[in-house]
Amino acid sequence: MRKIRAHYIFDGFRFRKNAQLVVSDDGVVQDIYSVPEPIEEEAGVEFYAGIISPGFVNAHCHLELSNLQTHIPQKTGLPDFVSSVARLKKEIPFSEDACKETDELMWNNGIVAVGDISNFSDTFALKETSPIQYHTFIELFDLHEDSRAEYERGKKLFKSYLQRKHVSLSPHAPYSCSRKLCAKIEAHAVDYEYPVTIHNQEHESENEMFSKHSGQLFQVFQKELTHPILHTTYPSSLRFSAGAFEQVRHMLFVHNVYMSEYDIRFLLEERGAQHFTCVVCLCSNMYIHDELPPLPLFLKYSVQWAIGTDSLASNTDVSMIREMLSLQQAFPEVSLNQLLHAATYRGAYALNLQSRFGQFSKGKKPGVILIEQLDLQNMRLTPETKVRMI
Ligand SMILES: [Zn+2]
């Protein structure tokens, strides 16, 4: 049994001062309670300088793209980025070693669970043996295939995944999936009751594609499409995907750079706050097009939001602390409490992993991490802030 104290313990929801966490030797939380002042030294109690927190949950990654690190130039915009990834996937062979390195890097950065996008089965064996708990989203799109062939391919991958509770089928993005394919994924998601993720409103031309059938992204995909994806117009791309996946129990909308206040109010009214999470991948947005997600709107409307690193194709690291520091620098109004809640409980909830991860409460096994070298007086992260598993 371990008794752990620190300057602060973050329990997944709020900070506790003068608290003690008790975990079994294999990491199961036994208790968390306040220690009355004056705090006396007690034999066998570990004390740490900094904040103790449940392990981080990275809500969006593509382990499979680890071999593309540094291959894609920065700040060229989404249409160019999507074309580069498609080209490089053919040119640069998949690398199991690169994926293993990313997996280890995430673990060493205090990440205990990951929502990971897979197009193929190449990373499945690694994910099954990793100390990290993955929820795999098998990503489908029917630009070149007919929707039935792509759906059958996805179902085969789904069946081959051993951890049945931790796998979903998911559409790549509203601009790369036909209505037919979306309907098949929606029905499958309802049957298996899993969360679904989708890349959402990452570029302004994505909304233009849906509202006017024109713009940069529309031009790129018009060349690629073997069949029309769009038969009608929508006020925004979100209005297409919100309708297409109406029956899904929980949606993770990823990126949301061009999500409007109107879109947010629509989601809150139509879906309900408990049934969707907006995943913020700030470093990736900066890498691809030097733009920011609408975090102030999420805070204003109490939207549930989580944090993702995205892949090494569009990020120089897979570090939740770095994402949080960048968010704090871009949006000084966001508190450390809000950042840590998003990085722990919110990610776990979005991935349906809250029964084990994201909080210190009795019976859960969320991993225990130490965040050190912070500005504890002002409760701010600094460029020197580090994290380690303890
Ligand atoms: Zn992504």
Side-chain angles (χ1 to χ4, degrees):
M1 202 73 76
R2 297 174 68 195
K3 294 177 179 174
I4 298 166
R5 286 183 199 163
H7 286 113
Y8 291 94
I9 294 180
F10 181 76
D11 63 10
F13 295 86
R14 63 191 172 95
F15 286 110
R16 293 172 173 226
K17 212 168 185 258
N18 305 334
Q20 183 158 300
L21 174 70
V22 184
V23 293
S24 66
D25 291 337
D26 63 348
V28 178
V29 176
Q30 305 297 308
D31 208 350
I32 178 167
Y33 51 84
S34 299
V35 184
E37 285 190 282
I39 297 168
E40 283 164 24
E41 285 212 9
E42 193 185 317
V45 173
E46 305 165 37
F47 184 86
Y48 295 94
I51 296 171
I52 294 290
S53 164
F56 293 141
V57 180
N58 178 1
H60 186 76
C61 188
H62 304 241
L63 203 55
E64 224 171 61
L65 302 183
S66 297
N67 58 332
L68 302 189
Q69 188 171 17
T70 70
H71 279 87
I72 302 175
Q74 299 196 24
K75 309 193 195 301
T76 58
L78 183 71
D80 269 13
F81 179 80
V82 171
S83 301
S84 295
V85 171
R87 181 175 50 81
L88 289 168
K89 269 176 161 177
K90 286 178 204 148
E91 286 173 11
I92 302 173
F94 169 80
S95 162
E96 202 171 334
D97 288 347
C99 296
K100 208 167 170 9
E101 267 175 44
T102 307
D103 175 73
E104 284 168 7
L105 188 59
M106 286 200 279
W107 179 256
N108 292 333
N109 282 335
I111 295 169
V112 293
V114 176
D116 189 58
I117 308 282
S118 284
N119 290 101
F120 309 104
S121 59
D122 302 306
T123 56
F124 288 5
L126 169 62
K127 288 194 268 197
E128 274 149 21
T129 53
S130 168
I132 293 176
Q133 176 65 60
Y134 284 90
H135 184 100
T136 292
F137 296 100
I138 295 166
E139 183 177 77
L140 305 182
F141 54 91
D142 53 351
L143 291 170
H144 309 285
E145 296 284 347
D146 70 68
S147 62
R148 208 172 40 158
E150 179 65 347
Y151 176 63
E152 290 305 322
R153 190 185 75 83
K155 274 205 305 189
K156 225 182 219 176
L157 288 172
F158 182 88
K159 279 187 190 150
S160 74
Y161 203 85
L162 295 181
Q163 298 182 23
R164 189 52 61 87
K165 276 186 166 172
H166 303 301
V167 60
S168 302
L169 298 184
S170 283
H172 164 252
Y175 55 79
S176 54
C177 291
S178 68
R179 184 88 211 192
K180 267 188 188 167
L181 179 59
C182 292
K184 288 184 169 76
I185 296 172
E186 184 191 35
H188 196 261
V190 170
D191 275 357
Y192 287 93
E193 300 182 315
Y194 53 62
V196 165
T197 195
I198 186 165
H199 294 91
N200 179 62
Q201 292 171 301
E202 203 175 342
H203 194 259
E204 58 187 335
S205 66
E206 184 177 323
N207 282 332
E208 191 184 339
M209 180 171 174
F210 281 81
S211 61
K212 295 183 191 147
H213 294 183
S214 63
Q216 215 181 341
L217 210 54
F218 185 77
Q219 300 302 331
V220 170
F221 281 91
Q222 212 177 18
K223 279 187 260 160
E224 300 264 339
L225 294 174
T226 51
H227 53 82
I229 278 182
L230 293 160
H231 297 281
T232 182
T233 58
Y234 298 83
S236 66
S237 70
L238 175 91
R239 296 291 290 274
F240 166 82
S241 29
F245 298 100
E246 206 175 2
Q247 305 299 321
V248 173
R249 54 175 292 277
H250 198 90
M251 287 295 295
L252 288 82
F253 295 103
V254 180
H255 292 303
N256 315 305
V257 178
Y258 286 89
M259 187 183 259
S260 69
E261 192 157 359
Y262 189 80
D263 288 326
I264 290 170
R265 285 163 65 170
F266 175 84
L267 277 179
L268 289 170
E269 277 164 32
E270 295 295 315
R271 196 157 241 294
Q274 295 301 311
H275 300 292
F276 73 97
T277 301
C278 288
V279 180
V280 170
C281 307
L282 182 130
C283 294
S284 171
N285 301 151
M286 296 298 285
Y287 188 105
I288 295 174
H289 34 209
D290 217 359
E291 288 184 278
L292 300 172
L295 193 67
L297 286 177
F298 298 161
L299 300 179
K300 178 180 171 185
Y301 285 97
S302 303
V303 167
Q304 295 186 2
W305 60 282
I307 299 171
T309 62
D310 213 344
S311 74
L312 286 172
S314 62
N315 202 341
T316 54
D317 202 350
V318 280
S319 157
M320 295 288 280
I321 278 289
R322 193 169 149 265
E323 297 292 330
M324 284 189 267
L325 177 64
S326 304
L327 283 162
Q328 180 188 275
Q329 286 165 342
F331 306 104
E333 68 270 36
V334 68
S335 70
L336 186 56
N337 195 325
Q338 288 168 320
L339 287 167
L340 284 172
H341 181 57
T344 55
Y345 183 76
R346 278 293 144 223
Y349 183 88
L351 299 173
N352 202 20
L353 293 173
Q354 70 274 26
S355 62
R356 176 175 164 191
F357 293 98
Q359 61 179 306
F360 290 136
S361 71
K362 202 172 175 236
K364 304 203 190 293
K365 197 180 170 184
V368 183
I369 60 173
L370 170 66
I371 305 165
E372 47 194 345
Q373 297 180 46
L374 316 93
D375 173 0
L376 281 176
Q377 231 157 29
N378 298 302
M379 293 304 255
R380 307 294 275 176
L381 301 169
T382 74
E384 285 72 44
T385 301
K386 288 187 172 52
V387 61
R388 64 182 164 101
M389 297 277 184
I390 61 161

